[in-house]
Amino acid sequence: MAPVVWAIMASFMPAPEFTHFPPYIIAHALTVSNYVTLFKTIPMLQYILNSAIVVVAISACVAVTSLFGGYVFAVVDWPGREIAFWCVLASLFIPFQVLVVPLFAMMKEFGWLNSYQALVVPFTVSPFGILLVRNYLRNVPLEYIEAARVDGAGEWRIVATIALPLVRPALSALTIFTFLGQWDNLLWPAIVITSGDRYTLPLGITDLAHDFITSPNLTIAAAIAALVPTVAVFAIFQRKFIEGAALSGLK
Amino acid sequence: MVTEVWRPSGRRRSAPCAPRRRSALARQQRRFAFIVMVPVLGGTFVFGLYPVGYVVWMSLHRYSLFSGSSHPFVGLQNYRMAVTSDYGSFWRAALQTLYYPLIRLPIEVVVAMAFAVALRRIRRGRQLYLAMIFLPAATSLTAMSIVFGVVFNSSTGIVNRLLDVLGVPSQLFLGSATQALPTVESVDIWHGLGFATVILFAGLLSIDQRYYEAAAVDGANAWQQFRTITLPLLRPVLSVVLILDSVYLLQLFTPILVMTEGGPFNSTLNLPYLIYESLTGGLLSYAAACSVMLFLLILVFVAVWNRLGRADT
């Protein structure tokens, strides 16, 4: 934890204290001037907004596609289900790093470079999420759903009234992980985004760290600004988060 | 168990209703499945499976970004370029791709295991310790790479100033060809240790306490208990941790871009960064060939860990 605590404190240190000798472990004077300068130097608000749009869009899409996809794989009978399921399973095992080059070429062919679509659309279906919801629903007695069907409830209603409440814990864990993972995504934006007004936060602060290597007070403040939402999410959902991580090893 | 009521193979109890109504229901279900599966499978194919074929295709052609231009078939030329010529330092990158897991995995197995074992002995406030250990995993790796970059900065970083106070000469860290890779790796170890600890801890909790009680009755000390009970029973979980982390580390990118951009003198370059560099430099087919080789490397790692996890069980 020490690096986080130090960094938060350092982000409020006036610039001279950064190079003072002997070094200050505890800040002597506290100031918000680093943040003020930061927001004046680079369009931080724009970066934060871009990141928020992308992350919220992806998380929402993943939750919806995982819910419906997992439900259809678990409790709906349809021809070709086995084969389709193997396709989803196969795509789970393909490392993203291998897909970067062809996906970039596709984005270029679609004319999507420097757009929100390029940042969002490739991540809207999560094989992991589908698998998670499917496994959750497989442990539910099917009688509930059969009974609802006999009573005339359509599949959409069943998803909303029976499946959704059942898989809510899985969906919320999935959403937390999607949020944190995408908030921190650097590789993909670094490839498809070249113009500053579409920069996401990780890309923006990385650029800043490279350009202002001699102003550690600024880069630290930027890093803390990017860190706050993730740590806040962790603090709120801490228990759920740790349970989710523990699950990934037992599967 | 509820799972026995229904098996996923499609055999299910028939609903108690008239045949005509049942076929109407089945039709309704098929239509619903179709509506849902078109976007889901469409997304899986277009952004998950099709690109795998595309990357292989690209690696065998001279792919050009200009629309309307042809992409002539060149066979293995891109691979030959990677393996034989000095351009892009392929071998250097490939070798260093392996360093990242080789540095981290032993540390992780020992330290995360120690944390997990210690956590199990703690009775009071366990949740708090767990949260503290796990917090780094919840931070943004990009942001923390920046922080570590500042902390390890050779002239202004706090680590060097502290070393100075202790009378140790300043180190170059990220500026040195030998120290840069371990320094880059340090942020990632710090970031990833919590995750491994939590998974191992969950594995420990699932071991039946009676084994330990029986061993204690037989007079086994703590180390013997660890070696003869914990380690063998934890083996499957350990192999999951090793697989997940190897796959992740072989793709390590963020701290490298943030802290060193592959330098100094390519000393932190790995295949993912090489792919990124040649991709943004417009050498798509070369990057594609490197991607295919990285994929094979990852598959080899997974196969080896999987085999080790299963051995003598």
Side-chain angles (χ1 to χ4, degrees), chain A:
Chain A
M1 276 180 78
V4 179
V5 176
W6 179 83
I8 291 173
M9 195 180 60
S11 72
F12 293 104
M13 274 192 210
E17 284 197 19
F18 267 89
T19 44
H20 191 274
F21 188 88
Y24 292 129
I25 303 286
I26 308 290
H28 277 202
L30 295 177
T31 166
V32 292
S33 70
N34 295 330
Y35 288 96
V36 176
T37 321
L38 170 70
F39 278 79
K40 276 189 202 147
T41 315
I42 57 167
M44 275 296 274
L45 284 177
Q46 179 73 52
Y47 298 164
I48 293 172
L49 187 70
N50 287 342
S51 267
I53 291 172
V54 169
V55 169
V56 169
I58 292 176
S59 303
C61 289
V62 165
V64 171
T65 55
S66 300
L67 171 64
F68 282 97
Y71 175 82
V72 166
F73 276 121
V75 289
V76 179
D77 240 346
W78 49 285
R81 185 168 71 169
E82 296 287 299
I83 298 169
F85 185 68
W86 281 108
C87 291
V88 171
L89 208 58
S91 74
L92 180 67
F93 291 105
I94 295 157
F96 182 70
Q97 188 69 52
V98 174
L99 304 180
V100 158
V101 178
L103 282 178
F104 169 78
M106 286 161 67
M107 295 300 122
K108 172 89 182 167
E109 285 158 20
F110 296 169
W112 281 6
L113 294 184
N114 280 318
S115 71
Y116 289 123
Q117 298 96 287
L119 292 174
V120 173
V121 176
F123 303 104
T124 47
V125 179
S126 153
F128 174 75
I130 291 172
L131 203 69
L132 190 73
V133 172
R134 172 186 173 268
N135 289 348
Y136 235 77
L137 284 176
R138 272 178 51 178
N139 292 331
V140 171
L142 203 65
E143 275 82 359
Y144 285 130
I145 289 164
E146 286 293 357
R149 276 180 189 149
V150 171
D151 287 346
E155 299 293 322
W156 301 99
R157 270 241 342 253
I158 297 176
V159 172
T161 57
I162 300 178
L164 180 59
L166 285 171
V167 299
R168 187 161 286 162
L171 272 190
S172 55
L174 176 68
T175 306
I176 294 170
F177 279 105
T178 312
F179 174 88
L180 292 176
Q182 289 298 332
W183 183 263
D184 201 24
N185 192 349
L186 177 64
L187 170 63
W188 184 241
I191 285 171
V192 292
I193 302 296
T194 47
S195 83
D197 59 335
R198 284 284 185 277
Y199 267 27
T200 58
L201 196 52
L203 201 52
I205 62 174
T206 303
D207 231 34
L208 176 88
H210 290 165
D211 293 346
F212 289 82
I213 196 154
T214 48
S215 321
N217 53 325
L218 274 193
T219 53
I220 287 275
I224 294 304
L227 206 69
V228 167
T230 59
V231 174
V233 166
F234 174 66
I236 297 167
F237 299 107
Q238 185 220 104
R239 203 170 275 259
K240 189 154 275 162
F241 198 7
I242 294 175
E243 280 162 14
L247 271 183
S248 64
L250 298 178
K251 282 287 164 203

Side-chain angles (χ1 to χ4, degrees), chain B residues 233-255:
Chain B
L233 287 176
L234 215 52
R235 198 171 186 144
V237 179
L238 203 55
S239 99
V240 168
V241 171
L242 291 177
I243 289 177
L244 288 179
D245 271 336
S246 308
V247 170
Y248 163 76
L249 284 169
L250 293 171
Q251 300 183 71
L252 192 70
F253 176 77
T254 298

Side-chain angles (χ1 to χ4, degrees), chain B residues 17-307:
Chain B
C17 53
R20 191 183 299 163
R21 174 120 174 70
R22 201 188 306 166
S23 77
L25 270 180
R27 209 167 42 237
Q28 196 192 343
Q29 283 184 34
R30 273 207 294 274
R31 225 190 60 193
F32 175 76
F34 181 76
I35 295 171
V36 170
M37 277 300 132
V38 166
V40 167
L41 286 181
T44 307
F45 268 105
V46 175
F47 300 111
L49 298 176
Y50 167 71
V52 179
Y54 199 16
V55 73
V56 175
W57 183 89
M58 280 172 87
S59 72
L60 297 173
H61 292 72
R62 194 182 303 126
Y63 184 86
S64 164
L65 273 177
F66 300 105
S67 53
S69 55
S70 64
H71 312 296
F73 178 78
V74 294
L76 292 175
Q77 191 192 310
N78 293 307
Y79 293 89
R80 214 175 299 130
M81 187 166 124
V83 178
T84 56
S85 89
D86 276 346
Y87 176 78
S89 9
F90 172 83
W91 284 112
R92 183 92 195 254
L95 199 65
Q96 280 166 189
T97 307
L98 296 173
Y99 284 173
Y100 287 96
L102 288 182
I103 294 177
R104 161 142 154 210
L105 293 179
I107 296 178
E108 189 160 271
V109 170
V110 174
V111 180
M113 190 69 104
F115 276 165
V117 170
L119 265 176
R120 211 191 45 182
R121 306 223 157 171
I122 293 170
R123 289 272 171 262
R124 230 171 337 136
R126 186 192 269 173
Q127 194 66 33
L128 182 68
Y129 285 106
L130 206 55
M132 271 164 51
I133 290 176
F134 200 63
L135 174 79
T139 60
S140 150
L141 185 57
T142 315
M144 289 317 290
S145 299
I146 292 177
V147 170
F148 273 63
V150 169
V151 165
F152 283 111
N153 185 295
S154 56
S155 52
T156 58
I158 190 161
V159 174
N160 260 341
R161 282 180 290 141
L162 286 175
L163 287 180
D164 229 5
V165 172
L166 298 172
V168 180
S170 281
Q171 304 293 312
L172 276 172
F173 293 120
L174 293 171
S176 141
T178 48
Q179 290 173 352
L181 195 134
T183 311
V184 167
E185 183 65 337
S186 69
V187 60
D188 201 60
I189 291 175
W190 178 83
H191 186 256
L193 212 52
F195 212 85
T197 306
V198 167
I199 296 178
L200 289 178
F201 177 61
L204 279 183
L205 287 187
S206 69
I207 297 177
D208 197 327
Q209 276 300 315
R210 276 172 297 183
Y211 289 123
Y212 294 100
E213 283 155 21
V217 169
D218 289 345
N221 63 29
W223 171 245
Q224 284 168 331
Q225 287 181 20
F226 176 78
R227 237 192 28 183
T228 55
I229 303 171
T230 312
L231 218 47
L233 287 176
L234 215 52
R235 198 171 186 144
V237 179
L238 203 55
S239 99
V240 168
V241 171
L242 291 177
I243 289 177
L244 288 179
D245 271 336
S246 308
V247 170
Y248 163 76
L249 284 169
L250 293 171
Q251 300 183 71
L252 192 70
F253 176 77
T254 298
I256 301 173
L257 174 63
V258 174
M259 295 168 87
T260 62
E261 299 183 83
F265 310 113
N266 284 343
S267 63
T268 53
L269 185 75
N270 65 355
L271 282 178
Y273 197 82
L274 181 65
I275 292 168
Y276 165 79
E277 221 175 37
S278 26
L279 173 60
T280 47
L283 294 161
L284 267 75
S285 287
Y286 179 78
C290 293
S291 303
V292 173
M293 289 188 275
L294 176 64
F295 194 16
L296 296 178
L297 190 67
I298 292 174
L299 287 180
V300 168
F301 250 77
V302 172
V304 169
W305 288 134
N306 209 11
R307 175 61 62 85

